[in-house]
Amino acid sequence: MKKIYSLLILLFPLVIFSQDLNMQDGTFNRCAPDIFYDSGGAAGNYGSDENFVTTICPQNANEFIILNFTEFSTQLNQDVLTIYDGDDTTAPVIGSYSGVAGPGNVQASSASGCLTIEFTSNATGTTTGWAAEILCATPCQTITPTIDSTTPAAEGGVVSILPGETVDFEGSATFSEDGTGATYQWNFGDTNTATGQSVSNTYTTPGTYTVFLAVTDTNPQGCTALTSITVFVLGPNVIIDQDTYTPEELIEDVLINSPCAQVSNINWSTGISFSSAEPNGIGFFYGNGIDFPFESGVILTSGDASEARGPNNNAMSAGGFGWPGDAELDATVGINSNNASFIEFDFVPLADNISFDFLMASEEYNGATGGTFECTFSDAFAFLLTDSMGNTTNLAVLPGTNTPILVTNIHPANPGCAAINEQYFGGYTAQNQPPTSFDGRTVVFTAQSPVTPGENYNIKLVIADASDTALDSGVFLKAGSFDLGGDLGDDITIMAGTAECDGTPILLNTGVVGAVHTWYKDGVEITGETDESLVVTEEGTYSVDIVFSGTCQASDEIFIEFKPSPVANPALDQSICNISGTGSFTLTDNDSEVLGGQDPADFIISYHLTEQDAIDNVNPLASPYDNVSNPQTIYVRIAELSQECFATTSFELTISSLSIPAVLTPLEECDDAVADGFTAFTLSDADAEVLGTQDPADYTVTYHETQADADANLNPLADGYVNTINPQVVYVRLETNNDTDCYNTTPLTLVVNPNPVATAPTPIALCDDDSDGFVEFDLSLRDLEVIGA
């Protein structure tokens, strides 16, 4: 609705200067922020019986007028607004409008850049008319938007992630004139949008999403340019794409992993090469790298490659006898082939070895349902490498042999035949649900061969049906795995199961001898490292720049993670008191000691009888544990969750039996002067005999009147104890100082001896035989008299 501002205009007639334009006859030059109204202006209605022609032109050369109608209301089919694309009513008519369906946004396209507006109204009735912004615009400049990078990085123009993962996008644009104030609008293809040059989006559902970046400048007409990238959120099933890449692109952009690869003379053939009625056996595949070992790559089949998608719910037997086999394959593996698909190309290796990863899958694998085709029927494939001298080698062979990889050479036992090379069988659909339509597949193989850097080679990757055209087979080639040199390989991570224990040296090698190398850790150059190899012992992102020549330079990076190597902190010796010499020990009391400050959620602790058992992680002991010797050494193993990184320590189990004499030498004292049979005893005189060879510093000796007091350690007797009967038995308690529950007791007898009474003896008289006054007396003759009765 138009607003009524008449009061403000009356109050401030000198302040407001308006370049707004009301409908009237004439030609006017106007631009933003001016508004074009009906004859009633901002506040009123237009009039009856009007017939006006207004021409609006831009104020500057090379501009054109845009009218953006924000309000519109006339009498339907009675009061009509007509717009002409030019500077008068002879110009082409853009449109005629009445009622409430207004023109919206109208742009001039004539050389004059003007719009001419004609309005006629009848004699009866008017409404509020219209309001339109007058904008002056210049022709759109050239805008070239780009998606500069993504995290994870795109391969072949496609970002592959798992559900729940986030993609970071970086965008920019170049402008032929001026990009100031430009906006960057993203549509992530999953209903989410964002604005800015650096944005992120989390994808939750498997599928293919086209991400658009729209860059719009400040031109009033909204000049916009688009670019896009594909995000593939990987689900459990393999997806086959036969539209995104040509066979040439599959070689150069998907299979080959070297920006300096010299690849030429690309050739290919499949069913459609011979007849439009025959299927296409070549394609690009997506997998999630979990349910299927590869995330993406190239597929060659002896049938329709699109049928190889998951799940396994069709019988793959496409292709007729109009699609021939391949003579080179026949000569290599000894079959009569049909329905051959191949790609071949020439290349010049950069390093002294080439390699690529692949697996074979086939409908011939039917042993899961009791079939025996795999015993006698096998399609075949070969990777034929030919050097510059014409020597050809098949790289599709079992590891360490020259035996071709065939269904009949790799399968488990079934009703028709015994197992053969079962270690290379990847599984039936019924066993592990491989997410393709093939009934079985092999494990992942790596085809490799020594080569001479700089020499010309040819390789032909070919697969075909044998004898008939039924039950197709396929070979999956991992994207980026065809390594001609300069590749550091996949990230080494705990999640991938490739991480080493902390501190274990890892050798990185580009395989490119003679090139100039510059190595980096976390973006910082590693000074002095210029060879093709680098030994790594610390976690981080390592990258290398390789200069082959002035026109050929490459770089690669790899993230290396180490599994935590645990520290086995010292364990505490354990001791218990038991007269029998054995007891039950709670070994796990040492868990916290061995862990120290390490997170218990990250480590596993076990206890073993021998150090070798701890090292080998065998025969763990249960806790509580009953010792078998005294003392006994127990070995502790602390390992991270994969059990590959570990450390060991040990501690002693000791049984304290507290040896104490069963019979102690009685303590004897003479009766005191009262002669009543009671006297004071120094009980500690028995300590030495109680302790024996045991260290007095480790034990406490106490004496008690009763056995019960000794057992309960109550009412200990002090030195100077006076007996209560004669003789009297007291009880000795021997206790370890570090364990009050560990003690032993024994009796001790106290004896009071009576004091003796001496009787006066009869004098002894002897004759002096030599009259010298000295005689030898035998005093013992009076012993009995002294002792008396």
PDB file of all heavy atoms in Angstrom, residues 95-118:
ATOM      1  N   GLY A  95       4.430  -5.251 -22.487  1.00  0.00           N
ATOM      2  CA  GLY A  95       3.234  -5.852 -21.936  1.00  0.00           C
ATOM      3  C   GLY A  95       2.225  -4.806 -21.530  1.00  0.00           C
ATOM      4  O   GLY A  95       2.548  -3.626 -21.354  1.00  0.00           O
ATOM      5  N   SER A  96       0.937  -5.232 -21.405  1.00  0.00           N
ATOM      6  CA  SER A  96      -0.144  -4.370 -20.912  1.00  0.00           C
ATOM      7  C   SER A  96      -0.685  -5.001 -19.638  1.00  0.00           C
ATOM      8  O   SER A  96      -0.860  -6.228 -19.562  1.00  0.00           O
ATOM      9  CB  SER A  96      -1.247  -4.240 -21.962  1.00  0.00           C
ATOM     10  OG  SER A  96      -0.766  -3.552 -23.103  1.00  0.00           O
ATOM     11  N   TYR A  97      -1.001  -4.145 -18.623  1.00  0.00           N
ATOM     12  CA  TYR A  97      -1.308  -4.645 -17.299  1.00  0.00           C
ATOM     13  C   TYR A  97      -2.497  -3.900 -16.709  1.00  0.00           C
ATOM     14  O   TYR A  97      -2.628  -2.676 -16.873  1.00  0.00           O
ATOM     15  CB  TYR A  97      -0.100  -4.480 -16.376  1.00  0.00           C
ATOM     16  CG  TYR A  97       1.184  -5.002 -16.988  1.00  0.00           C
ATOM     17  CD1 TYR A  97       2.004  -4.159 -17.730  1.00  0.00           C
ATOM     18  CD2 TYR A  97       1.544  -6.342 -16.866  1.00  0.00           C
ATOM     19  CE1 TYR A  97       3.168  -4.623 -18.314  1.00  0.00           C
ATOM     20  CE2 TYR A  97       2.710  -6.817 -17.439  1.00  0.00           C
ATOM     21  CZ  TYR A  97       3.526  -5.961 -18.171  1.00  0.00           C
ATOM     22  OH  TYR A  97       4.676  -6.421 -18.755  1.00  0.00           O
ATOM     23  N   SER A  98      -3.376  -4.637 -16.008  1.00  0.00           N
ATOM     24  CA  SER A  98      -4.484  -4.025 -15.279  1.00  0.00           C
ATOM     25  C   SER A  98      -4.870  -4.956 -14.140  1.00  0.00           C
ATOM     26  O   SER A  98      -4.414  -6.100 -14.080  1.00  0.00           O
ATOM     27  CB  SER A  98      -5.688  -3.786 -16.200  1.00  0.00           C
ATOM     28  OG  SER A  98      -6.227  -5.020 -16.661  1.00  0.00           O
ATOM     29  N   GLY A  99      -5.746  -4.457 -13.255  1.00  0.00           N
ATOM     30  CA  GLY A  99      -6.109  -5.241 -12.084  1.00  0.00           C
ATOM     31  C   GLY A  99      -4.991  -5.192 -11.049  1.00  0.00           C
ATOM     32  O   GLY A  99      -4.378  -4.139 -10.832  1.00  0.00           O
ATOM     33  N   VAL A 100      -4.684  -6.354 -10.442  1.00  0.00           N
ATOM     34  CA  VAL A 100      -3.624  -6.395  -9.434  1.00  0.00           C
ATOM     35  C   VAL A 100      -2.412  -7.173  -9.919  1.00  0.00           C
ATOM     36  O   VAL A 100      -1.439  -7.341  -9.177  1.00  0.00           O
ATOM     37  CB  VAL A 100      -4.154  -7.009  -8.126  1.00  0.00           C
ATOM     38  CG1 VAL A 100      -5.206  -6.127  -7.497  1.00  0.00           C
ATOM     39  CG2 VAL A 100      -4.694  -8.416  -8.367  1.00  0.00           C
ATOM     40  N   ALA A 101      -2.449  -7.677 -11.126  1.00  0.00           N
ATOM     41  CA  ALA A 101      -1.310  -8.403 -11.691  1.00  0.00           C
ATOM     42  C   ALA A 101      -0.388  -7.405 -12.356  1.00  0.00           C
ATOM     43  O   ALA A 101      -0.562  -7.051 -13.532  1.00  0.00           O
ATOM     44  CB  ALA A 101      -1.781  -9.470 -12.676  1.00  0.00           C
ATOM     45  N   GLY A 102       0.583  -6.899 -11.609  1.00  0.00           N
ATOM     46  CA  GLY A 102       1.459  -5.851 -12.116  1.00  0.00           C
ATOM     47  C   GLY A 102       2.595  -6.387 -12.956  1.00  0.00           C
ATOM     48  O   GLY A 102       2.795  -7.601 -13.085  1.00  0.00           O
ATOM     49  N   PRO A 103       3.419  -5.486 -13.486  1.00  0.00           N
ATOM     50  CA  PRO A 103       4.515  -5.875 -14.383  1.00  0.00           C
ATOM     51  C   PRO A 103       5.675  -6.557 -13.674  1.00  0.00           C
ATOM     52  O   PRO A 103       6.467  -7.248 -14.313  1.00  0.00           O
ATOM     53  CB  PRO A 103       4.959  -4.537 -14.984  1.00  0.00           C
ATOM     54  CG  PRO A 103       3.829  -3.599 -14.750  1.00  0.00           C
ATOM     55  CD  PRO A 103       3.195  -4.029 -13.482  1.00  0.00           C
ATOM     56  N   GLY A 104       5.841  -6.326 -12.367  1.00  0.00           N
ATOM     57  CA  GLY A 104       7.010  -6.872 -11.685  1.00  0.00           C
ATOM     58  C   GLY A 104       8.254  -6.105 -12.055  1.00  0.00           C
ATOM     59  O   GLY A 104       8.287  -4.879 -12.011  1.00  0.00           O
ATOM     60  N   ASN A 105       9.311  -6.815 -12.451  1.00  0.00           N
ATOM     61  CA  ASN A 105      10.580  -6.193 -12.819  1.00  0.00           C
ATOM     62  C   ASN A 105      10.682  -6.128 -14.335  1.00  0.00           C
ATOM     63  O   ASN A 105      10.658  -7.144 -15.021  1.00  0.00           O
ATOM     64  CB  ASN A 105      11.748  -7.001 -12.246  1.00  0.00           C
ATOM     65  CG  ASN A 105      13.084  -6.312 -12.399  1.00  0.00           C
ATOM     66  OD1 ASN A 105      13.623  -6.245 -13.499  1.00  0.00           O
ATOM     67  ND2 ASN A 105      13.622  -5.832 -11.291  1.00  0.00           N
ATOM     68  N   VAL A 106      10.797  -4.897 -14.859  1.00  0.00           N
ATOM     69  CA  VAL A 106      10.815  -4.689 -16.310  1.00  0.00           C
ATOM     70  C   VAL A 106      12.118  -3.997 -16.682  1.00  0.00           C
ATOM     71  O   VAL A 106      12.479  -2.970 -16.089  1.00  0.00           O
ATOM     72  CB  VAL A 106       9.616  -3.839 -16.769  1.00  0.00           C
ATOM     73  CG1 VAL A 106       9.650  -3.666 -18.285  1.00  0.00           C
ATOM     74  CG2 VAL A 106       8.305  -4.474 -16.325  1.00  0.00           C
ATOM     75  N   GLN A 107      12.850  -4.533 -17.681  1.00  0.00           N
ATOM     76  CA  GLN A 107      14.136  -3.968 -18.098  1.00  0.00           C
ATOM     77  C   GLN A 107      14.070  -3.506 -19.544  1.00  0.00           C
ATOM     78  O   GLN A 107      13.445  -4.153 -20.395  1.00  0.00           O
ATOM     79  CB  GLN A 107      15.244  -5.017 -17.972  1.00  0.00           C
ATOM     80  CG  GLN A 107      15.473  -5.520 -16.571  1.00  0.00           C
ATOM     81  CD  GLN A 107      16.649  -6.479 -16.503  1.00  0.00           C
ATOM     82  OE1 GLN A 107      17.405  -6.608 -17.465  1.00  0.00           O
ATOM     83  NE2 GLN A 107      16.817  -7.138 -15.359  1.00  0.00           N
ATOM     84  N   ALA A 108      14.732  -2.407 -19.801  1.00  0.00           N
ATOM     85  CA  ALA A 108      14.862  -1.917 -21.178  1.00  0.00           C
ATOM     86  C   ALA A 108      15.970  -2.680 -21.884  1.00  0.00           C
ATOM     87  O   ALA A 108      17.011  -2.954 -21.288  1.00  0.00           O
ATOM     88  CB  ALA A 108      15.167  -0.431 -21.174  1.00  0.00           C
ATOM     89  N   SER A 109      15.732  -2.998 -23.153  1.00  0.00           N
ATOM     90  CA  SER A 109      16.763  -3.681 -23.925  1.00  0.00           C
ATOM     91  C   SER A 109      17.121  -2.950 -25.212  1.00  0.00           C
ATOM     92  O   SER A 109      17.960  -3.401 -25.979  1.00  0.00           O
ATOM     93  CB  SER A 109      16.305  -5.103 -24.265  1.00  0.00           C
ATOM     94  OG  SER A 109      15.132  -5.071 -25.061  1.00  0.00           O
ATOM     95  N   SER A 110      16.467  -1.816 -25.458  1.00  0.00           N
ATOM     96  CA  SER A 110      16.735  -1.062 -26.687  1.00  0.00           C
ATOM     97  C   SER A 110      18.020  -0.276 -26.551  1.00  0.00           C
ATOM     98  O   SER A 110      18.566  -0.116 -25.445  1.00  0.00           O
ATOM     99  CB  SER A 110      15.572  -0.099 -26.973  1.00  0.00           C
ATOM    100  OG  SER A 110      15.505   0.880 -25.955  1.00  0.00           O
ATOM    101  N   ALA A 111      18.497   0.225 -27.665  1.00  0.00           N
ATOM    102  CA  ALA A 111      19.738   0.993 -27.665  1.00  0.00           C
ATOM    103  C   ALA A 111      19.624   2.259 -26.830  1.00  0.00           C
ATOM    104  O   ALA A 111      20.604   2.726 -26.246  1.00  0.00           O
ATOM    105  CB  ALA A 111      20.128   1.343 -29.097  1.00  0.00           C
ATOM    106  N   SER A 112      18.425   2.815 -26.761  1.00  0.00           N
ATOM    107  CA  SER A 112      18.246   4.049 -25.992  1.00  0.00           C
ATOM    108  C   SER A 112      18.314   3.813 -24.490  1.00  0.00           C
ATOM    109  O   SER A 112      18.607   4.728 -23.728  1.00  0.00           O
ATOM    110  CB  SER A 112      16.898   4.687 -26.329  1.00  0.00           C
ATOM    111  OG  SER A 112      15.832   3.859 -25.854  1.00  0.00           O
ATOM    112  N   GLY A 113      18.012   2.605 -24.081  1.00  0.00           N
ATOM    113  CA  GLY A 113      17.983   2.315 -22.655  1.00  0.00           C
ATOM    114  C   GLY A 113      16.752   2.850 -21.959  1.00  0.00           C
ATOM    115  O   GLY A 113      16.666   2.811 -20.728  1.00  0.00           O
ATOM    116  N   CYS A 114      15.751   3.358 -22.725  1.00  0.00           N
ATOM    117  CA  CYS A 114      14.570   3.991 -22.150  1.00  0.00           C
ATOM    118  C   CYS A 114      13.388   3.021 -22.120  1.00  0.00           C
ATOM    119  O   CYS A 114      13.341   2.050 -22.885  1.00  0.00           O
ATOM    120  CB  CYS A 114      14.172   5.227 -22.955  1.00  0.00           C
ATOM    121  SG  CYS A 114      15.463   6.480 -23.092  1.00  0.00           S
ATOM    122  N   LEU A 115      12.448   3.291 -21.221  1.00  0.00           N
ATOM    123  CA  LEU A 115      11.155   2.637 -21.205  1.00  0.00           C
ATOM    124  C   LEU A 115      10.086   3.710 -21.334  1.00  0.00           C
ATOM    125  O   LEU A 115      10.171   4.769 -20.698  1.00  0.00           O
ATOM    126  CB  LEU A 115      10.948   1.868 -19.892  1.00  0.00           C
ATOM    127  CG  LEU A 115      11.808   0.616 -19.666  1.00  0.00           C
ATOM    128  CD1 LEU A 115      11.560   0.058 -18.264  1.00  0.00           C
ATOM    129  CD2 LEU A 115      11.517  -0.457 -20.720  1.00  0.00           C
ATOM    130  N   THR A 116       9.066   3.419 -22.165  1.00  0.00           N
ATOM    131  CA  THR A 116       7.934   4.345 -22.336  1.00  0.00           C
ATOM    132  C   THR A 116       6.697   3.698 -21.745  1.00  0.00           C
ATOM    133  O   THR A 116       6.387   2.532 -22.043  1.00  0.00           O
ATOM    134  CB  THR A 116       7.709   4.672 -23.818  1.00  0.00           C
ATOM    135  OG1 THR A 116       8.876   5.358 -24.316  1.00  0.00           O
ATOM    136  CG2 THR A 116       6.497   5.575 -23.996  1.00  0.00           C
ATOM    137  N   ILE A 117       5.999   4.472 -20.892  1.00  0.00           N
ATOM    138  CA  ILE A 117       4.829   3.954 -20.177  1.00  0.00           C
ATOM    139  C   ILE A 117       3.614   4.766 -20.589  1.00  0.00           C
ATOM    140  O   ILE A 117       3.612   6.005 -20.494  1.00  0.00           O
ATOM    141  CB  ILE A 117       5.034   4.048 -18.649  1.00  0.00           C
ATOM    142  CG1 ILE A 117       6.324   3.285 -18.237  1.00  0.00           C
ATOM    143  CG2 ILE A 117       3.841   3.479 -17.914  1.00  0.00           C
ATOM    144  CD1 ILE A 117       7.542   4.163 -18.121  1.00  0.00           C
ATOM    145  N   GLU A 118       2.603   4.056 -21.053  1.00  0.00           N
ATOM    146  CA  GLU A 118       1.339   4.705 -21.446  1.00  0.00           C
ATOM    147  C   GLU A 118       0.235   4.217 -20.499  1.00  0.00           C
ATOM    148  O   GLU A 118       0.123   3.023 -20.254  1.00  0.00           O
ATOM    149  CB  GLU A 118       0.987   4.346 -22.886  1.00  0.00           C
ATOM    150  CG  GLU A 118      -0.296   4.984 -23.369  1.00  0.00           C
ATOM    151  CD  GLU A 118      -0.625   4.616 -24.809  1.00  0.00           C
ATOM    152  OE1 GLU A 118      -0.256   3.471 -25.232  1.00  0.00           O
ATOM    153  OE2 GLU A 118      -1.228   5.420 -25.505  1.00  0.00           O
TER     154      GLU A 118
END
